[in-house]
mmCIF file of all heavy atoms in Angstrom:
data_model
loop_
_atom_site.group_PDB
_atom_site.id
_atom_site.type_symbol
_atom_site.label_atom_id
_atom_site.label_comp_id
_atom_site.label_asym_id
_atom_site.label_seq_id
_atom_site.Cartn_x
_atom_site.Cartn_y
_atom_site.Cartn_z
ATOM 1 N N ILE A 104 108.692 97.646 91.487
ATOM 2 C CA ILE A 104 107.281 97.649 91.146
ATOM 3 C C ILE A 104 106.747 96.233 91.342
ATOM 4 O O ILE A 104 107.312 95.263 90.912
ATOM 5 C CB ILE A 104 107.093 98.076 89.686
ATOM 6 C CG1 ILE A 104 107.733 99.431 89.447
ATOM 7 C CG2 ILE A 104 105.580 98.082 89.336
ATOM 8 C CD1 ILE A 104 107.164 100.565 90.258
ATOM 9 N N SER A 105 105.617 96.122 92.073
ATOM 10 C CA SER A 105 105.030 94.863 92.354
ATOM 11 C C SER A 105 103.997 94.459 91.294
ATOM 12 O O SER A 105 103.042 95.169 91.035
ATOM 13 C CB SER A 105 104.302 94.890 93.711
ATOM 14 O OG SER A 105 103.580 93.697 93.919
ATOM 15 N N LEU A 106 104.232 93.312 90.697
ATOM 16 C CA LEU A 106 103.336 92.782 89.644
ATOM 17 C C LEU A 106 101.957 92.481 90.250
ATOM 18 O O LEU A 106 100.914 92.917 89.734
ATOM 19 C CB LEU A 106 103.910 91.498 89.003
ATOM 20 C CG LEU A 106 103.026 90.713 88.106
ATOM 21 C CD1 LEU A 106 102.699 91.519 86.857
ATOM 22 C CD2 LEU A 106 103.685 89.398 87.708
ATOM 23 N N GLU A 107 101.908 91.739 91.349
ATOM 24 C CA GLU A 107 100.621 91.336 91.936
ATOM 25 C C GLU A 107 99.809 92.516 92.405
ATOM 26 O O GLU A 107 98.643 92.647 92.177
ATOM 27 C CB GLU A 107 100.839 90.296 93.060
ATOM 28 C CG GLU A 107 101.239 88.968 92.603
ATOM 29 C CD GLU A 107 102.721 88.853 92.343
ATOM 30 O OE1 GLU A 107 103.516 89.673 92.898
ATOM 31 O OE2 GLU A 107 103.146 87.915 91.622
ATOM 32 N N LEU A 108 100.459 93.413 93.153
ATOM 33 C CA LEU A 108 99.724 94.582 93.708
ATOM 34 C C LEU A 108 99.239 95.502 92.627
ATOM 35 O O LEU A 108 98.132 96.031 92.690
ATOM 36 C CB LEU A 108 100.630 95.315 94.705
ATOM 37 C CG LEU A 108 101.008 94.552 95.987
ATOM 38 C CD1 LEU A 108 101.993 95.344 96.802
ATOM 39 C CD2 LEU A 108 99.773 94.229 96.787
ATOM 40 N N SER A 109 100.054 95.684 91.566
ATOM 41 C CA SER A 109 99.668 96.566 90.473
ATOM 42 C C SER A 109 98.514 95.979 89.667
ATOM 43 O O SER A 109 97.618 96.663 89.260
ATOM 44 C CB SER A 109 100.868 96.821 89.559
ATOM 45 O OG SER A 109 101.826 97.552 90.225
ATOM 46 N N LYS A 110 98.515 94.648 89.507
ATOM 47 C CA LYS A 110 97.427 94.001 88.780
ATOM 48 C C LYS A 110 96.114 94.097 89.594
ATOM 49 O O LYS A 110 95.066 94.307 88.995
ATOM 50 C CB LYS A 110 97.768 92.567 88.482
ATOM 51 C CG LYS A 110 98.718 92.408 87.303
ATOM 52 C CD LYS A 110 98.727 91.032 86.754
ATOM 53 C CE LYS A 110 99.564 91.045 85.506
ATOM 54 N NZ LYS A 110 99.492 89.766 84.801
ATOM 55 N N ASN A 111 96.229 93.953 90.887
ATOM 56 C CA ASN A 111 95.024 94.114 91.747
ATOM 57 C C ASN A 111 94.459 95.529 91.655
ATOM 58 O O ASN A 111 93.262 95.730 91.670
ATOM 59 C CB ASN A 111 95.325 93.757 93.197
ATOM 60 C CG ASN A 111 95.539 92.278 93.391
ATOM 61 O OD1 ASN A 111 95.134 91.457 92.577
ATOM 62 N ND2 ASN A 111 96.181 91.938 94.514
ATOM 63 N N LEU A 112 95.325 96.493 91.566
ATOM 64 C CA LEU A 112 94.905 97.906 91.472
ATOM 65 C C LEU A 112 94.215 98.166 90.156
ATOM 66 O O LEU A 112 93.259 98.867 90.094
ATOM 67 C CB LEU A 112 96.159 98.831 91.622
ATOM 68 C CG LEU A 112 95.875 100.304 91.491
ATOM 69 C CD1 LEU A 112 95.078 100.801 92.697
ATOM 70 C CD2 LEU A 112 97.207 101.069 91.417
ATOM 71 N N ASN A 113 94.720 97.598 89.076
ATOM 72 C CA ASN A 113 94.199 97.864 87.731
ATOM 73 C C ASN A 113 93.092 96.849 87.344
ATOM 74 O O ASN A 113 92.545 97.002 86.234
ATOM 75 C CB ASN A 113 95.340 97.808 86.682
ATOM 76 C CG ASN A 113 96.294 98.938 86.894
ATOM 77 O OD1 ASN A 113 95.863 100.063 87.122
ATOM 78 N ND2 ASN A 113 97.550 98.677 86.814
ATOM 79 N N ALA A 114 92.790 95.905 88.180
ATOM 80 C CA ALA A 114 91.739 94.903 87.852
ATOM 81 C C ALA A 114 90.392 95.631 87.764
ATOM 82 O O ALA A 114 90.097 96.521 88.538
ATOM 83 C CB ALA A 114 91.699 93.780 88.853
ATOM 84 N N PRO A 115 89.548 95.197 86.785
ATOM 85 C CA PRO A 115 88.210 95.797 86.734
ATOM 86 C C PRO A 115 87.417 95.511 87.971
ATOM 87 O O PRO A 115 87.464 94.406 88.519
ATOM 88 C CB PRO A 115 87.585 95.167 85.495
ATOM 89 C CG PRO A 115 88.421 94.006 85.110
ATOM 90 C CD PRO A 115 89.787 94.198 85.801
#
Side-chain angles (χ1 to χ4, degrees):
I104 305 300
S105 172
L106 170 66
E107 287 84 21
L108 294 174
S109 295
K110 282 196 174 188
N111 289 341
L112 178 68
N113 293 318

